[in-house]
Amino acid sequence: MKPEKSVVLIIVQFILIAGLIIAERIGQPHAILRGGLFAALLAATGLLLLARLRFKSRLERVASELKRAIRGNGSTRLLANDEPAFDEVIFSINALIEQLEAVQVRTIKSEAARKSLLSNISHDIRTPLTSIIGYVDALKDGLAASEEEKRQYIDIISRKAAALKEMINEIFDLAKLDADELPLKRETLDLAELAREAAIGLLPELKTYGIELQANVPDRICPIAADRLGMQRVIGNLLKNAVTYGKDGYVVGLELKVEDERYILSVWDKGAGIREVDLPRVFDRMYRGDASRSSMQGGGSGIGLAVAKAIVEKHGGLIWAESRPGLQTVFTFTVPKQARSIQLRNN
């Protein structure tokens, strides 16, 4: 490692002073020798003073650059020179600035996402509330012409209120998952049985829309170590998503595959599908890119898939979506296998 210039100059100064002292002790030094030693000492001192002034000037520049970084200029970088010790400090400061820049970028993105989320939540809450208030006012003012019309109004109010309650529950669950305040109560469960239960629970809605259910779930036990409510939420959200956005295809599929170390559960529909540009963002909270899969077409809040993704990842699995618009859209997640246990809690 190259020694610092100031250290070298100090050593030279020490040697010159020592030489003068020794020359004086052993006898009267020659005038030329004395003059040479003093000239060298003066030169070394001058160079040391110059180095000190340059170091001070550089510190001032560093301080100025740091102030720029503090004011938010994350692209600021400090330049190194040939002084090893000082360069180590510069490298550390640059690394810290890079980290601060990354934090700043994440903060900006997080703030933008927060504003978008709040805007979408506000819209999605206001819409059903406005509808509920409108129908309640209509009932209060006696605008319903018959008892049948009153029942229709009440049915609409009930459905809107239930959807609003479900969306609020999803928002709270997502917030708890983000804050790690929704602990997973793992137990040994049968994933095949969970899938069958979810499908059976959806049969009334499938019948309402005239949708055929094509289920391919193995008869064997598929043990997993998972949170029962969490897994029910994941499978239920994917099935509801398929019904909501794929009912025009009149068929919804559920398939469970067994691999060596994991299970793969897929839910598919033959609805309008998802554009390729929207696929990477379908699990973003409140994201609804394609108009065919938006709340204006009877869709949900856009939170259900984000909740499903968070739960799957907390179980050590993966989740993704594939779509061929107009042909088939598939949502798939994996969950690790669990060594088979006799005491299956849901079997």
Side-chain angles (χ1 to χ4, degrees):
M1 181 179 291
K2 188 176 180 179
E4 295 184 28
K5 294 179 181 178
S6 57
V7 175
V8 174
L9 289 173
I10 291 173
I11 293 173
V12 171
Q13 272 189 322
F14 179 78
I15 293 174
L16 291 172
I17 292 173
L20 284 171
I21 293 174
I22 293 171
E24 291 291 339
R25 288 287 182 90
I26 63 176
Q28 186 69 20
H30 193 277
I32 295 178
L33 177 60
R34 178 188 291 178
L37 289 173
F38 272 112
L41 181 60
L42 183 62
T45 303
L47 289 173
L48 185 60
L49 178 60
L50 180 61
R52 172 62 181 172
L53 293 175
R54 291 178 59 186
F55 183 75
K56 181 181 178 183
S57 175
R58 192 172 182 209
L59 281 180
E60 290 174 350
R61 288 198 302 271
V62 168
S64 176
E65 294 296 323
L66 285 176
K67 288 178 181 178
R68 288 181 58 194
I70 291 172
R71 287 194 295 267
N73 190 342
S75 61
T76 300
R77 294 296 183 271
L78 306 180
L79 299 178
N81 61 8
D82 57 353
E83 297 179 21
F86 193 78
D87 287 348
E88 288 296 326
V89 176
I90 294 299
F91 295 149
S92 298
I93 292 175
N94 283 337
L96 181 59
I97 292 175
E98 288 180 9
Q99 293 180 11
L100 290 175
E101 183 183 17
V103 170
Q104 185 181 33
V105 170
R106 287 198 299 269
T107 301
I108 293 173
K109 290 182 178 179
S110 177
E111 181 67 15
R114 185 187 66 83
K115 289 181 179 179
S116 176
L117 179 63
L118 289 176
S119 175
N120 289 331
I121 289 175
S122 175
H123 174 270
D124 284 354
I125 289 178
R126 188 185 297 114
T127 300
L129 274 179
T130 301
S131 180
I132 291 171
I133 292 171
Y135 281 105
V136 169
D137 288 342
L139 289 172
K140 287 170 59 180
D141 296 338
L143 298 181
S146 64
E147 289 298 321
E148 177 63 24
E149 193 170 352
K150 287 182 181 180
R151 285 193 294 270
Q152 290 178 357
Y153 285 6
I154 293 172
D155 181 58
I156 293 172
I157 292 171
S158 176
R159 285 189 283 108
K160 295 287 184 180
L164 184 60
K165 180 177 181 294
E166 182 179 357
M167 184 185 68
I168 292 173
N169 286 338
E170 287 179 339
I171 292 171
F172 278 114
D173 286 346
L174 191 59
K176 289 179 180 179
L177 285 166
D178 284 345
D180 202 22
E181 294 178 356
L182 196 64
L184 300 178
K185 299 178 181 178
R186 294 181 183 271
E187 51 186 322
T188 302
L189 303 171
D190 181 5
L191 182 59
E193 185 64 21
L194 286 174
R196 284 189 286 267
E197 289 175 357
I200 291 171
L202 201 64
L203 287 177
E205 190 170 354
L206 294 174
K207 185 177 180 180
T208 299
Y209 292 111
I211 298 175
E212 176 190 357
L213 175 65
Q214 295 183 5
N216 184 10
V217 179
D219 293 331
R220 57 174 287 187
I221 294 176
C222 301
I224 58 172
D227 178 80
R228 181 174 60 85
L229 294 178
M231 280 293 107
Q232 287 176 338
R233 173 67 65 86
V234 172
I235 301 172
N237 283 359
L238 295 185
L239 283 170
K240 288 179 182 178
N241 184 74
V243 172
T244 300
Y245 299 116
K247 53 177 170 285
D248 293 341
Y250 298 104
V251 59
V252 166
L254 173 67
E255 183 176 14
L256 178 60
K257 296 180 181 179
V258 182
E259 290 192 348
D260 292 338
E261 298 181 355
R262 64 179 186 173
Y263 298 106
I264 302 177
L265 193 146
S266 299
V267 175
W268 54 267
D269 65 76
K270 293 188 176 182
I274 307 171
R275 298 177 303 179
E276 185 176 355
V277 68
D278 294 321
L279 275 175
R281 299 189 60 190
V282 293
F283 294 101
D284 291 355
R285 54 198 71 181
M286 305 298 293
Y287 182 76
R288 293 187 295 265
D290 193 338
S292 67
R293 298 180 83 88
S294 71
S295 60
M296 297 300 293
Q297 300 295 328
S301 65
I303 300 177
L305 291 178
V307 171
K309 180 176 185 291
I311 294 174
V312 167
E313 290 178 348
K314 280 185 174 291
H315 282 84
L318 300 172
I319 187 168
W320 66 91
E322 300 169 289
S323 182
R324 291 179 294 166
L327 296 176
Q328 189 180 65
T329 297
V330 186
F331 283 85
T332 305
F333 76 91
T334 66
V335 61
K337 279 187 175 181
Q338 167 77 351
R340 182 164 180 173
S341 173
I342 297 176
Q343 296 181 343
L344 288 170
R345 300 299 179 88
N346 65 329
N347 190 36

